[in-house]
Amino acid sequence: MQQDKENLSRRDLLKILGASGIALGGVGLATPTKAEAKSDKAPNIAIIGAGLGGISLSAKLVQELPNAKIKLFDADPILYYQPGFTLIAAGIYNKQDTQYNKKDLIDSKVEWIQENVSAVNPNTDNLTTTSGQVYPYDYLIIGTGTMNQFEKYQGLTEEFVNDPNTNVTSIYTPDGAVKAQSMMKKAAKEGGKVIFAEPNTPFKCGGANKKINFLLEDLSVTNHTKEKIDMCLYTGGGAMLSSPTHAKMIEQFYIERKMPYLMRHQLVEVDTARNIATFEKLMPYTENGEQKVSKERFEKPYDYLFVIPPMKTADFITEAGLAITKGHTDGNWVDVDSYTLQHKKYSNIFAIGDCAGVPKGKTGASIRKQYPVIAENLIAHLNNQPLKAKFNGYTACPLLTHYGKAVMVEFDYEGTAPSMPCFGATRESWLNWFVKVYLMKPMVMSGMIHARA
């Protein structure tokens, strides 16, 4: 039986290696089939944001619209492989393992304007950079990602969170992830009061903080110090994840491992001098047919605090009238069709990645499915054809549950969506861990970002 399990694992590994384009002889992507141009037209395309989405899409458009004039707007010279931040905290990566120069990633046929965009006028089809320069466009793709708002928690700033000498951190910044590594080691060795806090508004990679929670618990078991650690996860939302199946799975893990958690508990204030976190317990109710929420404040002392900040998109999106104007994301995410990723009002505007106002899809895996959709739909619109390419809401998050084990969390608009049977929908395995730690980064940073995967 054990031999059968080992053989199955080897077969599964070979499947993964083949699917990811990784050669067994070394970490090198297989030579891709050369893409064929799909149009000889020459539109003026502006892409705002040289993150994973913007760079991957620009590479795809170079392949399929070789005559297009593509400008990529972004002042930041560094791209971080953000899925690696949890591995920094886990002590597997260091900061340099996640850091890339954008000049080495952006296709030479793309004009990189090293400025940020301060304004967009969708009625006259032009944008303005921070220096005041105006650029016209025929098509606009917004890929600005999200901005952290630590200051929404009274008493916190990003500078404080990144400061290596404080006891509050976040794995949503590279320096915070480095700091998280030392905080985890210290807590696992010495014990103490540990709080994990998540907001009740949309944020990227909903499983990230829980991975650190799981790994800290695993470390404490290994160090025989679990009884010395008083830790709890406080999440502002009413579920562990937007996928119901995986939300229940995560809850079950917490219950089985005797890890405390509380939902509908929103962090509102941090007294960094007294090491006190203030939460609001959110209690929804209905009165005369109207949905209301009762709130009750309470304080919790901490020795270590891991926070996920509330997030927003760039201000110009709201100012240009491109944002969602109702619901709890009012005035924030780009108002696009959930399937075509085309703006609902301006047909020559699309959005990719975390800033897109879609129900699901705030991970790098989502971008991998989005950039071919936008490329195909942009070309269809250019040729006055219907937009047939659809994004199905796919997202993936390798949920690290132990050192050496993970669940490949995959879902879309319809529900769970395992891409390979060996991953399993809710199965913990070393194979999923292996994919996260060793295969995902080369697939993304050597393949996807050049539109090869």
Side-chain angles (χ1 to χ4, degrees):
M1 179 65 76
Q2 180 63 32
Q3 184 65 41
D4 290 343
K5 288 175 66 178
E6 290 177 359
N7 289 339
L8 176 61
S9 297
R10 287 179 62 81
R11 288 196 300 270
D12 290 343
L13 179 57
L14 289 171
K15 289 180 185 178
I16 301 298
L17 291 170
S20 63
I22 306 296
L24 283 173
V27 182
L29 285 164
T31 304
T33 302
K34 186 176 180 180
E36 294 184 3
K38 292 188 176 180
S39 175
D40 61 359
K41 293 187 178 180
N44 187 6
I45 301 173
I47 302 175
I48 305 176
L52 183 59
I55 297 177
S56 300
L57 179 57
S58 69
K60 185 70 170 177
L61 292 172
V62 165
Q63 295 173 1
E64 300 190 351
L65 278 172
N67 295 326
K69 301 175 184 65
I70 304 171
K71 290 183 174 65
L72 188 56
F73 296 84
D74 196 321
D76 193 343
I78 300 298
L79 174 71
Y80 284 99
Y81 173 69
Q82 295 182 30
F85 289 175
T86 52
L87 297 178
I88 294 175
I92 297 166
Y93 283 6
N94 58 42
K95 182 178 174 180
Q96 289 69 37
D97 291 328
T98 65
Q99 188 171 315
Y100 294 82
N101 292 314
K102 291 179 180 177
K103 64 180 177 61
D104 299 328
L105 302 173
I106 297 172
D107 193 286
S108 60
K109 296 178 182 177
V110 175
E111 183 181 357
W112 178 20
I113 309 296
Q114 295 188 53
E115 289 189 67
N116 289 330
V117 170
S118 60
V120 170
N121 190 332
N123 297 309
T124 56
D125 294 334
N126 60 55
L127 60 83
T128 305
T129 62
T130 49
S131 69
Q133 183 70 38
V134 177
Y135 294 85
Y137 62 80
D138 298 313
Y139 287 92
L140 175 67
I141 296 103
I142 303 173
T144 54
T146 59
M147 295 187 295
N148 296 325
Q149 292 187 294
F150 289 101
E151 66 278 4
K152 289 289 185 179
Y153 300 133
Q154 186 178 340
L156 279 191
T157 63
E158 185 154 346
E159 290 72 22
F160 187 89
V161 168
N162 287 335
D163 185 342
N165 299 310
T166 70
N167 57 348
V168 180
T169 195
S170 175
I171 57 168
Y172 282 78
T173 72
D175 290 333
V178 172
K179 182 178 169 183
Q181 181 183 141
S182 61
M183 284 174 54
M184 285 177 64
K185 288 180 179 177
K186 189 174 181 182
K189 180 179 179 181
E190 302 175 1
K193 299 179 178 66
V194 185
I195 289 176
F196 293 86
E198 303 179 354
N200 63 347
T201 50
F203 58 91
K204 57 188 176 183
C205 194
N209 225 24
K210 301 173 185 73
K211 300 176 191 180
I212 305 306
N213 198 175
F214 284 137
L215 293 181
L216 176 56
E217 190 271 347
D218 196 31
L219 274 177
S220 71
V221 171
T222 301
N223 292 348
H224 306 289
T225 56
K226 184 170 180 177
E227 70 282 354
K228 297 169 64 176
I229 296 183
D230 174 13
M231 63 182 177
C232 186
L233 170 70
Y234 295 86
T235 179
M240 288 288 204
L241 212 60
S242 60
S243 165
T245 298
H246 296 109
K248 290 300 181 184
M249 173 200 72
I250 293 172
E251 277 194 76
Q252 190 60 39
F253 286 155
Y254 271 80
I255 292 168
E256 290 173 354
R257 294 166 66 169
K258 295 181 173 58
M259 296 170 60
Y261 68 95
L262 291 167
M263 292 185 283
R264 300 191 190 280
H265 282 67
Q266 175 66 36
L267 179 67
V268 292
E269 184 178 349
V270 180
D271 186 333
T272 57
R274 297 169 55 227
N275 289 345
I276 297 289
T278 300
F279 291 87
E280 283 183 342
K281 181 180 180 181
L282 308 177
M283 297 169 283
Y285 67 97
T286 303
E287 183 177 63
N288 298 324
E290 183 180 353
Q291 297 293 320
K292 296 184 178 181
V293 178
S294 178
K295 300 178 181 179
E296 178 182 318
R297 287 201 171 201
F298 65 94
E299 295 182 343
K300 287 289 294 185
Y302 65 85
D303 296 306
Y304 308 96
L305 175 59
F306 295 78
V307 299
I308 294 179
M311 298 177 190
K312 62 170 289 186
T313 55
D315 291 338
F316 76 79
I317 294 171
T318 301
E319 294 164 359
L322 299 174
I324 293 173
T325 57
K326 60 182 179 181
H328 69 288
T329 54
D330 177 19
N332 209 315
W333 319 98
V334 184
D335 193 12
V336 294
D337 180 88
S338 298
Y339 296 95
T340 65
L341 303 175
Q342 181 186 44
H343 196 272
K344 293 179 180 178
K345 182 178 179 181
Y346 300 98
S347 62
N348 63 336
I349 296 178
F350 296 83
I352 188 169
D354 298 336
C355 68
V358 298
K360 293 179 173 65
K362 295 196 184 303
T363 66
S366 302
I367 291 173
R368 183 169 178 247
K369 299 292 186 179
Q370 290 174 349
Y371 80 82
V373 168
I374 294 177
E376 184 175 333
N377 284 338
L378 187 153
I379 293 171
H381 187 273
L382 183 63
N383 293 324
N384 296 313
Q385 296 172 347
L387 277 56
K388 294 182 179 180
K390 307 293 182 186
F391 170 62
N392 67 357
Y394 178 82
T395 191
C397 172
L399 184 72
L400 308 179
T401 53
H402 292 86
Y403 279 90
K405 283 189 178 181
V407 176
M408 191 63 70
V409 173
E410 297 177 280
F411 56 94
D412 56 24
Y413 293 146
E414 301 299 323
T416 58
S419 56
M420 296 185 73
C422 56
F423 286 159
T426 59
R427 182 190 307 140
E428 278 184 296
S429 74
W430 74 269
L431 183 63
N432 294 335
W433 168 272
F434 182 90
V435 171
K436 166 66 176 177
V437 175
Y438 298 106
L439 297 190
M440 286 191 67
K441 188 174 72 163
M443 185 188 75
V444 172
M445 299 308 302
S446 296
M448 172 183 159
I449 206 157
H450 299 296
R452 298 173 187 156

